[in-house]
Amino acid sequence: SIMDVSTRDGNSKKLTGTAGVGPLTSKFTLEGPLGSEKTTFLVGGRVTYSNWLLKQIPDDAYKNSKASFYDIMLNFSHTFSDKDRIYISAYTSSDKFKLNEDSTYAYQNKNAIVKWKHNFNGKLYSVLSTFINQYDYTVEGRSNPKDAFDLKFGVQQLGAKLDFKFNPNNKHDINFGLQHLLYTVRPGERQPIDA
């Protein structure tokens, strides 16, 4: 399936933002116009810093564990006219954890998409999209230096879509289009590591 991260447009009138800080995570957003009301941006992110809490737990199995996460999202939109608009979005995330000095597990997602929306009239519009999605999974085994290893797996999608939506009346929607996907799969690679 296609990972299509949809976000709202940034504020076209003024620069605004929010931030939140908690004992385990923080988050922020910043949005506003870029030069004029026709171009907007929205950026946001989250991060966890839970390792300090794991260090406070008296059980060594938890004390020697680690956990981390972050994600960042960017969104730009520009209105060329009443009929044409472009959207550019990007997203990345990373998760990593290790339990009691054992193997480290890491996951990463990255994607970017460019969309052009064109209104032909009040009843028909099209959206042309090009995108790339990348997923990576890694296991690092370091608990026994003789058997240390890295195991990697990944999937990448490159694609393009042309979607049409036709509204002949208030009761009916007709959706149709074309799509092309190219998958690149790295099914797994285990590398011994000299520790």
Side-chain angles (χ1 to χ4, degrees):
S1 68
I2 298 167
M3 184 174 180
D4 184 359
V5 176
S6 297
T7 60
R8 63 182 174 81
D9 291 343
N11 189 322
S12 63
K13 304 293 184 195
K14 63 180 180 174
L15 183 66
T16 63
T18 62
V21 178
L24 296 176
T25 62
S26 292
K27 62 183 178 178
F28 78 96
T29 61
L30 185 64
E31 62 182 297
L34 277 176
S36 75
E37 291 181 7
K38 289 186 171 193
T39 306
T40 67
F41 79 95
L42 173 68
V43 61
R46 299 176 295 179
V47 66
T48 185
Y49 32 84
S50 55
N51 288 333
W52 76 268
L53 182 61
L54 291 171
K55 300 284 181 222
Q56 307 308 312
I57 300 173
D59 187 333
D60 284 343
Y62 294 106
K63 216 178 234 190
N64 296 322
S65 298
K66 293 183 178 181
S68 64
F69 165 81
Y70 74 84
D71 70 353
I72 300 169
M73 176 272 311
L74 297 165
N75 185 38
F76 295 93
S77 66
H78 179 75
T79 303
F80 291 98
S81 68
D82 292 343
K83 294 190 175 218
D84 293 293
R85 192 163 191 186
I86 193 166
Y87 305 87
I88 302 170
S89 297
Y91 174 82
T92 184
S93 70
S94 177
D95 295 84
K96 196 172 192 178
F97 66 91
K98 182 192 306 191
L99 299 175
N100 193 23
E101 297 294 327
D102 194 14
S103 300
T104 300
Y105 300 87
Y107 310 88
Q108 290 187 329
N109 282 300
K110 298 175 186 169
N111 77 50
I113 189 166
V114 177
K115 293 181 181 181
W116 169 38
K117 182 176 180 181
H118 177 73
N119 285 316
F120 293 95
N121 55 47
K123 295 184 178 195
L124 176 67
Y125 72 85
S126 67
V127 178
L128 175 63
S129 307
T130 59
F131 54 87
I132 182 169
N133 297 317
Q134 176 76 39
Y135 170 77
D136 292 302
Y137 168 70
T138 305
V139 179
E140 297 174 351
R142 301 288 188 274
S143 58
N144 183 353
K146 286 191 321 185
D147 299 327
F149 68 92
D150 283 348
L151 176 65
K152 298 179 181 181
F153 169 82
V155 177
Q156 183 183 71
Q157 289 180 327
L158 292 171
K161 288 176 30 173
L162 178 58
D163 295 314
F164 292 89
K165 184 167 185 176
F166 179 54
N167 263 129
N169 55 50
N170 290 340
K171 294 182 181 183
H172 299 94
D173 283 339
I174 300 172
N175 297 299
F176 58 97
L178 301 168
Q179 175 176 304
H180 176 72
L181 283 174
L182 174 64
Y183 287 95
T184 304
V185 178
R186 194 176 67 227
E189 174 182 298
R190 186 173 181 185
Q191 298 279 332
I193 302 295
D194 290 332

